[in-house]
Amino acid sequence: MPTSRGFGIADFERAFDEFFDELLIDRWKCGTPAVEFERAQIIDHPDHYEVRVAAVGVDPAKIQAEVSGQRLALRMPDKLGGTLESSFAFSDSIDGEASTAKWAEGTLVITVPKKKARRIALNH
């Protein structure tokens, strides 16, 4: 039975199901590492960003990090055989070539240097 706005009970039930599928089931499928992955810390230093991601139980050799433009993308396996992905956007331009990553006690630490502004000399 449609309402005055044309949104019927079937539409409501479908929206309700999609909401709970996304909220509960998709998070459950990812397992515990997804929760840790979502808790990434980004520390803004004057000359670089430091990204810290807890990834207990993940093989560091299977973690992929990629810098492109002003974005850092991370991919790592989850406990169920899938892949967790996340990306971080920075307000400053970053130097992907000079970025480094290290692994210590279940935590991935990525250092992403900020690109310095370049002055352009004016020819008179």
Side-chain angles (χ1 to χ4, degrees), residues 1-112:
M1 180 172 171
T3 63
S4 60
R5 294 184 184 191
F7 191 79
I9 292 174
D11 295 320
F12 174 78
E13 289 174 348
R14 185 174 51 254
F16 187 80
D17 287 343
E18 288 172 1
F19 171 76
F20 278 98
D21 283 350
E22 183 179 316
L23 180 68
L24 299 174
I25 295 173
D26 288 351
R27 287 182 186 239
W28 174 79
K29 284 181 192 172
C30 292
T32 305
V35 174
E36 295 298 325
F37 198 64
E38 291 174 0
R39 289 191 215 157
Q41 284 184 301
I42 300 174
I43 303 163
D44 187 354
H45 296 280
D47 62 342
H48 70 279
Y49 293 102
E50 184 177 305
V51 180
R52 298 176 149 271
V53 179
V56 177
V58 174
D59 178 359
K62 294 186 178 181
I63 297 174
Q64 299 173 1
E66 183 179 302
V67 176
S68 177
Q70 289 178 253
R71 191 170 220 87
L72 167 67
L74 292 177
R75 284 175 216 77
M76 68 178 74
D78 68 11
K79 288 182 179 177
L80 301 175
T83 302
L84 301 173
E85 296 184 27
S86 190
S87 64
F88 308 92
F90 302 101
S91 56
D92 294 305
S93 293
I94 54 177
D95 186 353
E97 295 296 319
S99 298
T100 60
K102 67 180 179 178
W103 181 261
E105 300 176 19
T107 300
L108 174 64
V109 179
I110 301 173
T111 302
V112 185

